[in-house]
Structure formats: structure tokens, C-alpha cells
Amino acid sequence: MNRGERLPVVSGSIDGNLAAELAKKLGWEHHALVARRFPDSEAYVRVPVNSIEAVRSEPVIVVATTFPDDGIVEALLMLEAIHDVRTGNLTNLKGEGPEQLDNVGPGIILAVPYFGYSRQDKRFQRGEVVSASLIVRLLARHIDGLIVLDLHAPSVLDNLEKPIEFVSAMPEIADYLKSNVNPDFILSPDKGAIERASHVANLIDCKFSYLEKTRIDAHTIEHKPKDLDVQGAVVAIVDDMISTGGTICKASDALLSQGAKEVHAACTHGLFTGGAITRLDEHVSGVHATDSIASNPRALVSSASALARGVNNLLERLNL
Ligand code: R5P
């Protein structure tokens, strides 16, 4: 999309670097909201005075993650602050004016690099909360469109009555792997990642296969034995997310026992919980993730281009 205007891309305290990179890719302006914590850890958000005009003059892209939990509260406060500014509600106890302006209408687009709480999307047992559906309802209140990067199961957003763009960082991961790992073989560690991992294999033009995984509990998984033609090969296991690392470690052991020369792990969302990096380093030659989770120590691939594709598509669909 060739827009003459420089739209504001705003961030809070978590995704400042990614938002700045996204703004740069789009040729737009990055605005950092004032986002901090009170001493008791509660969040505070304000649209700074010098960003008010920008936030009101064009559609605004809000980059906010819903992980960890602090991210959810900050995202909600950012959306509320931007909604107030765009609807012209600037009343304040200091009496700084103008306090009331016109409502500039729709145009709040939320770009979520990592959608936390997407796992619990069904009520498996009586009495459980369907967390994904609650988080979606909360976020939906003030948005006109949503962009989500590599959502594990897009069906969690089925009930959201707002336009959504699902984007993937697999093209960026493929480019990165080609230049830095040069794999001969791409493996999906389970059936759920087949579409993403095979996309990477096609882009790199190398062999592909997948494993069948059964999850016993959050920390235990089993892979069905499978003969893979990986003798002497450099293999990259590609998944949407790595959490404990259990899935990757098991898959890597299977590959190495079948003669793979090197095994690498690549994913969009590097959650790396509970010593995952230390565990992974014992099983694979390299761990490569995007920056969708800002604090992740293996954020080697920028997800800004993927989000930029989503922003352009959504603005075109919404005719904003
Ligand atoms: C689940 O199907 C996901 O795609 C990942 O494979 C999973 O979340 C990875 O979890 P962990 O690293 O704890 O095995």
C-alpha cells in the first residue's frame, strides 16, 4: 500500500523495539506511550501530549502482546487511552485544554506479536474458564481490527466479530535458516506444525517430514518412532512456539539417533520456560526464534516484516 501519510505505530513498555522496527518498515512514525508501573506494580499508561495529534489524525497501529500477564493489563490500558484520545475525551483534573474534541471515528488496529492465553480455547472439564475467549472479548472492546502473528490455533478467535489478519513469520524464518544454517531437511515435530514447517521447507527447497506426537502432560511428550532419511543431514525442526523445550529435545534425539549431523530448532515464539534454553543447548546445535516475545534470549529473526504485511492487508480491507 502506498500511503502518503505517516501513520502512528504505538507501543507501551514491552514491544518498543519491535514497534519501532515495524514503523521503519512501513515508513511511518513510532510513538512510545508513557507506560510504567506504580511502586505496588500496577500499570500506568498515558498518551503523551506530543503524540495526541498523531494518534487522532490517522488510523493507529497499537503493538501489544498478551504475554506475560502484565502485557494483558498494559494492552487494555493502552487501548482505553487511545480510544479516549480518538473519541476526543481529554478531560483532566489539571484542566489542560482542549478537554473535549471531535470523535475522529474508527481506526484502532491492534497488532499482537504473541497472543498469550491461546491454549485454553475449550472447556475440557466442567467449571473451567475458556481463557482465550475471555481475553479476546476484553481486547475487542476498543479495536477495529486485529493482526496476530503465528497463532497456534486460529479457531480461538472464531467468535471475534472484528476483521482479523493472521500473519506468519515463516518466510522470515526460512530466509534466516537459509543464510545461517543452510538445512538439508526440515522437520515438523508434530502434526500441528506441518503447515508452517512445510512452508519453510518449500521456501528453502529442501526435504520435509513430520513426527507424530502425543502429549502426556505439560512436561511429558511421546513421539511415535518413524524412519527418517536424515543420515549426515543438517536438520531444522520448525514449530510455532517452544515452551519447555520438551518437544524439540525429544525430536532432536530421534533425529540424532537416525544419523543427523546437526539439529537446529526454530520457532516464532520463544517462550523458553523453566530452564528450556539450558535443556535445549544439550540437545540441539542452535536455537533460533523471532522477537515476538521481547525478552526472549534467542530473538534472532525480526517479525516486523510479517506484521507489516498484516497491517497493509488489514488497512486495505478496512479501507482506512
Ligand atoms: C504445540 O503443539 C506447540 O506447537 C508446541 O509444539 C508446544 O507448545 C511446545 O511445547 P514444549 O516446548 O513445552 O514442548
Side-chain angles (χ1 to χ4, degrees):
M1 178 187 280
N2 286 321
R3 301 187 70 106
E5 317 89 354
R6 284 165 61 77
L7 274 63
V9 178
V10 311
S11 59
S13 68
I14 301 175
D15 284 311
N17 291 342
L18 179 53
E21 182 72 19
L22 174 62
K24 200 166 143 200
K25 287 258 177 263
L26 293 162
W28 299 345
E29 272 176 6
H30 175 223
H31 290 256
L33 302 190
V34 178
R36 52 181 162 77
R37 297 263 153 197
F38 288 104
D40 62 0
S41 87
E42 286 180 4
Y44 166 92
V45 166
R46 172 165 50 88
V47 179
V49 172
N50 55 10
S51 295
I52 287 179
E53 202 184 316
V55 164
R56 288 176 50 79
S57 62
E58 300 291 344
V60 53
I61 316 301
V62 181
V63 181
T65 181
T66 57
F67 179 86
D69 288 3
D70 285 355
I72 299 171
V73 176
E74 190 173 290
L76 294 173
L77 297 186
M78 285 164 71
L79 291 171
E80 183 81 9
I82 287 166
H83 173 263
D84 280 354
V85 167
R86 288 184 66 89
T87 53
N89 177 6
L90 296 167
T91 50
N92 63 96
L93 290 178
K94 282 189 170 175
E96 286 170 352
E99 293 194 61
Q100 206 63 55
L101 292 169
D102 292 344
N103 182 341
V104 297
I108 303 181
I109 306 297
L110 176 62
V112 184
Y114 175 64
F115 196 100
Y117 281 90
S118 59
R119 283 191 174 90
Q120 184 81 29
D121 60 337
K122 294 183 184 69
R123 182 170 289 127
F124 298 94
Q125 297 178 53
R126 286 188 302 168
E128 275 182 356
V129 58
V130 185
S131 321
S133 128
L134 169 66
I135 300 298
V136 169
R137 284 203 309 277
L138 291 172
L139 292 174
R141 206 163 144 246
H142 288 322
I143 64 172
D144 301 296
L146 177 65
I147 297 149
V148 193
L149 181 69
D150 279 318
L151 184 60
H152 180 66
S155 57
V156 301
L157 298 181
D158 275 356
N159 295 327
L160 179 66
E161 287 168 1
K162 300 278 165 94
I164 311 171
E165 277 290 321
F166 294 104
V167 291
S168 176
M170 291 302 138
E172 285 67 36
I173 289 180
D175 271 358
Y176 172 90
L177 288 176
K178 182 81 192 153
S179 313
N180 296 279
V181 175
N182 200 17
D184 309 300
F185 197 106
I186 299 290
L187 183 86
S188 166
D190 54 32
K191 284 189 171 167
I194 288 179
E195 198 180 317
R196 290 187 175 95
S198 62
H199 187 190
V200 172
N202 287 337
L203 291 169
I204 298 181
D205 194 19
C206 68
K207 289 188 204 161
F208 170 79
S209 189
Y210 68 94
L211 295 179
E212 282 188 48
K213 175 178 94 174
T214 311
R215 184 168 283 287
I216 312 297
D217 59 41
H219 298 275
T220 324
I221 54 130
E222 265 177 21
H223 276 124
K224 212 169 165 183
K226 183 171 186 177
D227 282 337
L228 298 162
D229 178 17
V230 291
Q231 187 63 44
V234 174
V235 185
I237 308 171
V238 175
D239 209 345
D240 58 337
M241 65 176 89
I242 301 176
S243 177
T244 64
T247 301
I248 297 288
C249 292
K250 282 271 176 155
S252 175
D253 292 350
L255 290 162
L256 292 168
S257 71
Q258 294 187 46
K261 185 169 83 180
E262 249 179 59
V263 179
H264 290 255
C267 68
T268 303
H269 310 301
L271 292 155
F272 304 133
T273 52
I277 289 285
T278 311
R279 197 171 312 118
L280 284 160
D281 282 345
E282 287 166 8
H283 293 259
V284 296
S285 303
V287 182
H288 319 271
T290 78
D291 53 1
S292 70
I293 291 168
S295 58
N296 126 48
R298 300 294 164 93
L300 301 167
V301 184
S302 171
S303 58
S305 299
L307 290 176
R309 287 193 289 278
V311 170
N312 281 331
N313 289 346
L314 193 57
L315 291 179
E316 207 160 303
R317 272 171 66 193
L318 294 174
N319 206 13
L320 284 170

